[in-house]
């Protein structure tokens, strides 16, 4: 009788520890869709220093092509959109830790980023460009950047690309516009940044020019936490619907203007 009881207790303890262990493993995972529908909100992470994809409008709100797309995603989910504006190089950590649900930040798909997040279908093809002073006639392309001082936004593909050049001195800024300011002040020789924000920054500064050469070809896509297939399916559906309905082209005209 006694013997039987302790065997039962032992089995109960083993079973219980299995349940507890499973619960702990489950803890690390955020159930995104469950949380989205419970809180009636989906959280986009971005870095609103990247016009025309994300910037602060006159009212101080985050606006731009990505914000417009994110609104469509929230609409499709039937919830409110909340936007968290943070440093570009902290977006993927914020995503992994569950602080945000997706990243819409003109983020280019790279091998390294694919290890830490899942990406939607690409929604825009971009490239890295070089900005120099208008009167600079020594830097005509990438080959002339060797040994030069180059400004970039920290953690971007522009940062990666500039860092590959021989003997360069790369200055990393939290905001692309701050690199542009240092270029104007003569503290650096060039800025390497995505073509669209380059157009915006240069259009507002007539002492600057963009060089012809494309340093890269990249695709922007929306990032979700690894394994968040359900949310990714919704995002891909929204991208497809935008393209099929012609709304995508309207947004391009409205924000990017071509
Ligand atoms: N496309 C570049 C990258 O993925 C730059 C993106 C910067 N985006 C931003 N919102 N600041 O690294």
């Amino acid at each position: 009788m006694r013997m039987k009881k302790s065997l039962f207790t032992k089995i109960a303890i083993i079973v219980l520890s299995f349940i507890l262990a499973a619960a702990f493993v489950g803890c690390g995972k955020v159930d995104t869709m469950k949380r989205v529908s419970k809180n009636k909100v989906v959280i986009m992470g971005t870095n609103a220093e990247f016009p025309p994809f994300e910037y602060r409008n006159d009212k101080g709100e985050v606006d731009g092509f990505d914000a417009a797309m994110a609104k469509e995603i929230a609409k499709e989910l039937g919830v409110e959109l909340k936007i968290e504006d943070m440093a570009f190089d902290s977006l993927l950590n914020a995503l992994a830790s569950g602080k945000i649900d997706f990243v819409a930040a003109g983020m280019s798909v790279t091998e390294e980023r694919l290890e830490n997040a899942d990406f939607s279908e690409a929604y825009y093809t971009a490239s890295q460009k070089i900005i120099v002073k208008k009167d600079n006639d020594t830097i005509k392309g990438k080959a002339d950047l060797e040994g030069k001082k180059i400004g970039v936004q920290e953690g971007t593909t522009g940062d990666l690309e500039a860092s590959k050049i021989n003997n360069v001195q790369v200055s990393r800024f939290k905001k692309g516009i701050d690199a542009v300011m240092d270029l104007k002040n003569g503290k650096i020789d060039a800025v390497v940044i995505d073509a669209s924000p380059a157009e915006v920054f240069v259009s507002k500064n007539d002492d600057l020019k963009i060089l012809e050469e494309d340093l890269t070809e990249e695709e922007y896509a929306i990032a979700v936490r690894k394994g968040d297939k359900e949310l990714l399916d919704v995002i891909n559906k929204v991208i497809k619907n935008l393209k099929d309905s012609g709304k995508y082209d309207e947004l391009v005209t409205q924000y990017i203007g071509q």
Side-chain angles (χ1 to χ4, degrees):
M1 192 62 182
R2 237 191 99 95
M3 179 66 187
K4 238 185 181 176
K5 226 181 194 172
S6 77
L7 185 65
F8 176 78
T9 313
K10 272 182 196 160
I11 293 171
I13 288 171
I14 291 169
V15 170
L16 257 171
S17 9
F18 267 108
I19 293 173
L20 272 175
F24 268 117
V25 172
C27 261
K29 260 185 85 187
V30 191
D31 190 335
T32 309
M33 290 308 255
K34 212 167 161 184
R35 196 176 67 180
V36 165
S37 57
K38 185 171 158 262
N39 300 348
K40 296 250 163 295
V41 60
V42 67
I43 312 170
M44 155 185 171
T46 197
N47 166 253
E49 298 292 342
F50 198 70
F53 287 90
E54 42 268 335
Y55 53 89
R56 297 259 170 197
N57 64 20
D58 302 339
K59 292 183 213 147
E61 299 158 345
V62 176
D63 201 347
F65 189 92
D66 289 335
M69 239 180 11
K71 276 181 199 147
E72 298 296 325
I73 294 167
K75 206 202 259 174
E76 180 69 32
L77 290 163
V79 300
E80 194 196 313
L81 175 69
K82 188 173 162 197
I83 301 180
E84 291 281 355
D85 185 10
M86 62 186 81
F88 183 77
D89 62 347
S90 56
L91 283 166
L92 288 181
N93 276 335
L95 180 67
S97 72
K99 193 172 187 288
I100 54 178
D101 298 315
F102 64 90
V103 175
M107 185 175 271
S108 308
V109 184
T110 67
E111 288 296 320
E112 201 195 334
R113 289 172 184 164
L114 277 168
E115 282 171 21
N116 303 306
D118 288 343
F119 282 85
S120 71
E121 295 296 323
Y123 63 86
Y124 198 80
T125 302
S127 66
Q128 294 299 313
K129 288 282 193 181
I130 302 166
I131 309 176
V132 292
K133 283 265 196 67
K134 206 170 235 171
D135 57 14
N136 184 323
D137 46 23
T138 55
I139 302 179
K140 296 195 179 68
K142 188 180 171 186
D144 305 316
L145 290 179
E146 286 200 11
K148 293 288 189 304
K149 289 186 191 148
I150 307 175
V152 297
Q153 185 181 22
E154 189 165 26
T156 60
T157 44
D159 183 354
L160 265 179
E161 206 49 36
S163 305
K164 282 188 214 157
I165 299 166
N166 277 339
N167 292 320
V168 285
Q169 215 176 297
V170 179
S171 302
R172 299 184 172 85
F173 298 83
K174 285 290 171 197
K175 306 174 181 186
I177 189 68
D178 290 343
V180 171
M181 287 306 144
D182 267 23
L183 174 62
K184 283 168 76 74
N185 296 335
K187 289 193 192 135
I188 54 178
D189 304 303
V191 170
V192 171
I193 196 163
D194 298 53
S196 298
E199 293 286 349
V200 175
F201 296 148
V202 169
S203 71
K204 290 178 184 156
N205 293 283
D206 54 15
D207 53 338
L208 302 178
K209 67 180 175 193
I210 303 172
L211 302 183
E212 201 64 36
E213 189 180 1
D214 288 309
L215 303 189
T216 59
E217 190 184 301
E218 326 186 343
E219 303 277 9
Y220 294 168
I222 293 177
V224 299
R225 254 183 296 290
K226 267 208 164 296
D228 258 351
K229 180 158 186 329
E230 220 181 314
L231 179 57
L232 197 58
D233 287 347
V234 172
I235 293 174
N236 280 330
K237 185 177 161 200
V238 169
I239 295 174
K240 188 174 183 313
N241 287 347
L242 284 173
K243 290 200 169 157
D244 291 349
S245 67
K247 180 96 202 268
Y248 177 90
D249 292 327
E250 276 172 37
L251 290 179
V252 170
T253 312
Q254 181 184 345
Y255 288 104
I256 310 167
Q258 322 147 21

